[in-house]
């Protein structure tokens, strides 16, 4: 029997007893028309601003104004080595060694760089295993690599749910890899599906890919900062992510990239090169023809010097993660999302259907609610009540109670509003 209760008083009591309640005060929560805090459930699209981000960005602007070019090697956090501040906290979030992660570029740019290195079609083995409905940017990136390398477009092998189902089964992916693995050069999947909210069994998929002789990478856009990851131990070849969703680093914030050390320590791995990925001892040498000597680890995939103003908010956000600890955040996330599931179930499946897996280990904090023909107007009606969710066509409302700043009472508010709106039509 569920320990959750539908009463408002119960939700308020959970918030009073929450050991992570302090986290909410670290964020700027948008206000509604009357000045009241919005119930913000769109952290899966854009996370809220850490209040400390303003000071971090201002500090770099002040150093720029005060030091000019000398800010590269002077000031509180010299720009030349600025990205190194992010390595260890990012490594802890994704379960990697510090030399396996780097903050750089954006997700799609990093994906292109990884495809250069890890999509290696050869003869019959030229396919990319991709979910049937990937995030559009991932699909564009893969298709463009097929086209520019002269590989037929049908080399994309879609991973489909079973007939009548909406979620992928790990058993089916393993069977597909066992049967057709000798045709697959690369497995590239979203770790948490942006539409359904399903968290794939990454360890099992990575192991199945290795058995089939395939390289494997994951899009962590909806996973980094949301779910536990152990990329190094799972022997994932590479992964990329953005930091503006659950990592709360702001719109267009710097992306992240992981490459397992077995590749990072191998200078023969093909890649696009840029001066910032070159050995610092010879980085500034101008030789014709040039000799590229990659920095060991994923740092050898860097192209340009760090984007300081894009990294500064991430420094602020990671500081909160470090203080809270991902295990504690994950525990709260499971309770918050479980409470959301409990309350939406009470509305009735004829009015709201849960698309996301019910198993807490098979999802992050996002629940995708299927409301045929009503999702778009419901999102607008919820916004009029001070509740921010988002819509994904044709019929899904995405709701993400983020443990860093959402509360049990906000979940209760959302469920009450949705119930009233559904009963009204």
């Amino acid at each position: 029997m569920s320990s959750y209760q539908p009463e408002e008083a119960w939700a308020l009591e959970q918030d009073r007893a929450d050991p992570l309640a302090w986290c909410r005060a670290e964020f700027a929560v948008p206000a509604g028309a009357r000045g009241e805090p919005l119930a913000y459930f769109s952290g899966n699209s854009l996370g809220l601003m850490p209040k400390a981000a303003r000071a971090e960005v201002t500090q770099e602007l002040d150093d720029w104004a005060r030091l000019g070019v000398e800010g590269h090697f002077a000031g509180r956090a010299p720009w030349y080595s600025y990205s190194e501040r992010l390595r260890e906290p990012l490594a802890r979030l994704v379960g990697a060694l510090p030399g396996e992660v780097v903050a750089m570029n954006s997700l799609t740019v990093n994906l292109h760089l990884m495809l250069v290195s890890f999509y290696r079609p050869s003869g019959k083995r030229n396919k990319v295993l991709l979910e049937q409905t990937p995030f559009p940017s991932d699909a564009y990136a893969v298709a463009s690599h097929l086209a520019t390398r002269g590989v037929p477009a049908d080399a994309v092998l879609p991973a489909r749910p079973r007939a009548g189902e909406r979620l992928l089964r790990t058993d089916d992916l393993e069977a597909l890899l066992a049967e057709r693995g000798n045709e697959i050069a690369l497995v590239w999947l979203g770790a948490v599906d942006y539409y359904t909210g399903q968290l794939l069994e990454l360890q099992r998929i990575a192991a199945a890919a290795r058995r089939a002789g395939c390289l494997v990478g994951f899009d962590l856009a909806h996973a980094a900062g949301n779910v536990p990851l152990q990329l190094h131990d799972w022997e994932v070849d590479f992964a990329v992510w953005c930091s503006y969703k659950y990592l709360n680093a702001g719109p267009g914030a710097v992306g992240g990239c992981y490459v397992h050390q077995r590749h990072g320590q191998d200078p023969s791995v093909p890649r696009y090169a840029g001066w910032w990925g070159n050995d610092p001892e010879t980085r500034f040498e101008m030789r014709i023809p040039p000799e590229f000597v990659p920095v060991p680890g994923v740092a050898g995939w860097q192209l340009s010097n760090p984007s300081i103003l894009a990294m500064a908010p991430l420094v602020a956000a990671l500081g909160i993660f470090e203080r809270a600890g991902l295990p504690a955040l994950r525990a709260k996330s499971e309770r918050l999302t479980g409470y959301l599931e409990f309350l939406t179930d009470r509305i009735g499946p004829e009015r709201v259907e849960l698309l996301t897996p019910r198993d807490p280990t098979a999802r992050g904090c996002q629940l995708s609610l299927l409301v045929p023909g009503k999702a778009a107007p419901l999102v607008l009606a919820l916004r009029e009540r001070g509740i921010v969710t988002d819509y994904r066509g044709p019929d899904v409302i995405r709701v993400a109670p983020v443990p860093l700043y959402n509360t049990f009472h906000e979940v209760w508010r959302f469920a009450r509003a949705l119930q009233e709106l559904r009963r009204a039509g």
Side-chain angles (χ1 to χ4, degrees), residues 13-348:
E13 178 56 34
Q14 303 313 301
D15 290 331
R16 283 191 291 269
D18 178 15
L20 293 177
W22 62 268
C23 294
R24 180 178 172 89
E26 300 293 317
F27 291 87
V29 179
R34 295 182 297 276
E36 77 287 3
L38 296 175
Y40 187 86
F41 293 111
S42 280
N44 56 325
S45 186
L46 178 67
L48 293 184
M49 186 189 86
K51 292 177 181 177
R54 190 182 304 276
E56 290 288 345
V57 173
T58 299
Q59 177 66 53
E60 302 315 320
L61 291 173
D62 288 346
D63 281 353
W64 182 19
R66 181 173 59 91
L67 299 168
V69 70
E70 293 179 354
H72 283 93
F73 299 99
R76 183 196 60 163
W79 304 326
Y80 187 81
S81 56
Y82 195 93
S83 64
E84 295 174 12
R85 303 175 64 190
L86 304 172
R87 284 182 182 165
E88 291 199 9
L90 281 177
R92 283 188 281 272
L93 280 181
V94 300
L97 304 178
E100 293 177 326
V101 298
V102 67
M104 63 181 189
N105 308 314
S106 62
L107 186 156
T108 305
V109 172
N110 290 335
L111 174 54
H112 278 293
L113 295 177
M114 294 299 99
L115 289 172
V116 167
S117 296
F118 299 110
Y119 175 52
R120 306 172 187 171
S122 177
K124 179 182 177 182
R125 189 186 285 272
N126 68 350
K127 289 183 168 49
V128 179
L129 180 61
L130 195 68
E131 58 261 61
Q132 184 178 12
T133 54
F135 189 75
S137 196
D138 288 9
Y140 297 148
V142 169
S144 69
H145 276 261
L146 298 182
T148 55
R149 301 194 202 189
V151 179
D154 62 7
V156 171
L157 180 61
R160 295 187 175 93
R162 294 185 184 183
E165 297 184 357
R166 298 189 180 96
L167 304 173
L168 291 171
R169 295 195 186 200
T170 307
D171 291 347
D172 293 346
L173 290 171
E174 289 174 325
L176 179 60
L177 284 162
E179 178 186 355
R180 302 189 62 180
N182 62 346
E183 304 171 44
I184 299 170
L186 176 65
V187 176
W188 171 246
L189 297 168
V192 175
D193 187 87
Y194 79 100
Y195 188 78
T196 67
Q198 179 184 15
L199 168 61
L200 298 181
E201 293 186 85
L202 306 182
Q203 183 175 11
R204 284 179 60 184
I205 294 168
R210 287 196 305 278
R211 289 194 299 270
C214 312
L215 292 169
V216 59
F218 294 118
D219 179 340
L220 306 182
H222 290 265
N226 180 21
V227 297
L229 299 164
Q230 293 296 328
L231 300 182
H232 176 81
D233 291 346
W234 297 342
E235 298 188 60
V236 175
D237 293 297
F238 72 94
V240 296
W241 60 91
C242 57
S243 58
Y244 51 80
K245 299 180 188 293
Y246 296 110
L247 295 185
N248 307 292
V254 66
C257 187
Y258 154 89
V259 173
H260 195 280
Q261 67 174 357
R262 64 177 172 273
H263 304 299
Q265 299 299 323
D266 181 0
S268 70
V269 174
R271 70 192 79 191
Y272 283 157
W275 76 309
W276 214 255
N278 191 69
D279 179 1
E281 295 298 319
T282 59
R283 181 175 288 164
F284 288 90
E285 292 183 4
M286 300 180 186
R287 294 176 292 180
I288 300 296
E291 179 187 4
F292 179 73
V293 181
V295 179
V298 69
W301 273 265
Q302 295 175 106
L303 299 179
S304 303
N305 48 324
S307 179
I308 304 303
L309 298 180
M311 289 184 173
L314 183 55
V315 171
L318 291 177
I320 303 171
F321 276 98
E322 291 282 282
R323 289 167 58 197
L326 192 59
L329 287 167
R330 175 60 172 171
K332 179 180 175 181
S333 176
E334 290 186 358
R335 293 192 69 231
L336 268 178
T337 308
Y339 187 47
L340 175 61
E341 177 186 352
F342 168 78
L343 292 178
T344 53
D345 278 348
R346 292 171 61 86
I347 299 173

Side-chain angles (χ1 to χ4, degrees), residues 41 44 195-197 246 336-345 353-358 363-370 390 396-401 414:
F41 293 111
N44 56 325
Y195 188 78
T196 67
Y246 296 110
L336 268 178
T337 308
Y339 187 47
L340 175 61
E341 177 186 352
F342 168 78
L343 292 178
T344 53
D345 278 348
E353 181 184 348
L354 180 62
L355 184 57
T356 309
R358 292 183 176 274
R363 66 189 185 199
C365 69
Q366 171 188 317
L367 291 189
S368 295
L369 306 178
L370 193 65
D390 77 356
V396 166
I397 302 172
R398 300 192 307 177
V399 190
F414 163 80

